Amino acid sequence: MTARNRLPPWHEEIRLANGRQVLIRPIRPADADPLRAAFALLEPDEVRQRFLYAKKELSPETALRLTQPNPKSEFVLVAAEPMTPGEALVGAVARAAILPGTRHAEFHILVSHYVAGMGLGRHLMRRLVRWAKGKRLDRLYGDVLEENEPMRALAKSLGFHQAAGEAPGMIRVSLDLKRQVPEGEGAGSEAPRVPLG
């Protein structure tokens, strides 16, 4: 592969099980409108699993904040159509944010039902783990609904431990980033609580 054909850092083209090509890349300010449009296509249960309550739309303010992360403490990836940001439909968002004054980061992942069940959540989680390790953090964690079996199973398969959350019906999954993770289990193979709403 020649240098000019290489993708920028944190960019990766992958083909899903259904044959659809998506581009994993850092979020861009131009993604704000497509994010709001994609949010309207989500099923009510998808929204509840992520936000823990009913939410009909992603406000312009929330979209703006999400698409302009602080590079020192936040990392946001999207899985989008391989088109220009602002025109590309966004099918998944993964975010990690360092809690001020700690070496811990909280993660959130939302994968649309249109691309769910194809390994995208696992792929994005591995990228978040890699980013957190690159920041030399001690722990990556997230709170999930007790009934969210797919997310709990994914976290367990990647070495996350599960414990009772701070609120009823919640489970906290956390990964000790200082632990040696067997190849293929955690951070992936290649090199490089703030709510979304």
Side-chain angles (χ1 to χ4, degrees):
M1 179 188 295
T2 63
R4 69 177 179 218
N5 291 332
R6 289 193 181 138
L7 292 171
W10 295 107
H11 286 64
E12 181 181 8
E13 291 180 339
I14 63 172
R15 186 173 299 281
L16 302 178
N18 65 358
R20 179 173 293 181
Q21 188 91 7
V22 297
L23 177 64
I24 309 292
R25 60 169 172 78
I27 202 162
R28 301 274 196 282
D31 290 316
D33 286 341
L35 269 183
R36 296 190 68 220
F39 191 89
L41 302 175
L42 295 174
E43 301 285 345
D45 195 52
E46 290 177 288
V47 175
R48 193 177 63 81
Q49 295 276 12
R50 166 55 193 91
F51 291 94
L52 312 181
Y53 59 89
K55 187 178 180 74
K56 291 186 176 178
E57 68 173 6
L58 196 65
S59 71
E61 297 78 19
T62 299
L64 186 66
R65 188 173 74 242
L66 182 61
T67 57
Q68 298 183 31
N70 180 340
K72 293 182 179 178
S73 61
E74 298 175 275
F75 183 59
V76 185
L77 289 174
V78 296
E81 294 175 304
M83 298 168 61
T84 304
E87 298 175 8
L89 182 65
V90 174
V93 181
R95 177 180 186 267
I98 300 173
L99 275 67
T102 75
R103 305 298 302 160
H104 298 175
E106 184 176 17
F107 76 84
H108 300 284
I109 294 181
L110 177 60
V111 178
S112 165
H113 63 277
Y114 294 108
V115 288
M118 299 183 200
L120 198 49
R122 173 179 298 276
H123 199 80
L124 290 168
M125 180 64 84
R126 285 180 168 165
R127 297 302 165 270
L128 294 185
V129 170
R130 183 170 172 259
W131 174 83
K133 286 189 170 194
K135 288 285 188 181
R136 302 189 186 284
L137 300 181
D138 296 333
R139 184 168 302 277
L140 181 65
Y141 77 91
D143 293 327
V144 300
L145 288 172
E146 194 171 24
E147 66 197 61
N148 190 347
E149 291 294 340
M151 187 64 219
R152 291 179 62 188
L154 168 61
K156 183 177 181 181
S157 74
L158 292 175
F160 283 73
H161 297 285
Q162 300 186 22
E166 295 178 1
M170 300 297 295
I171 298 291
R172 175 158 291 184
V173 297
S174 60
L175 180 67
D176 179 358
L177 297 169
K178 299 299 184 183
R179 181 177 73 87
Q180 281 298 101
V181 180
E183 181 63 31
E185 182 183 337
S189 55
E190 77 261 3
R193 169 156 124 181
V194 181
L196 296 183

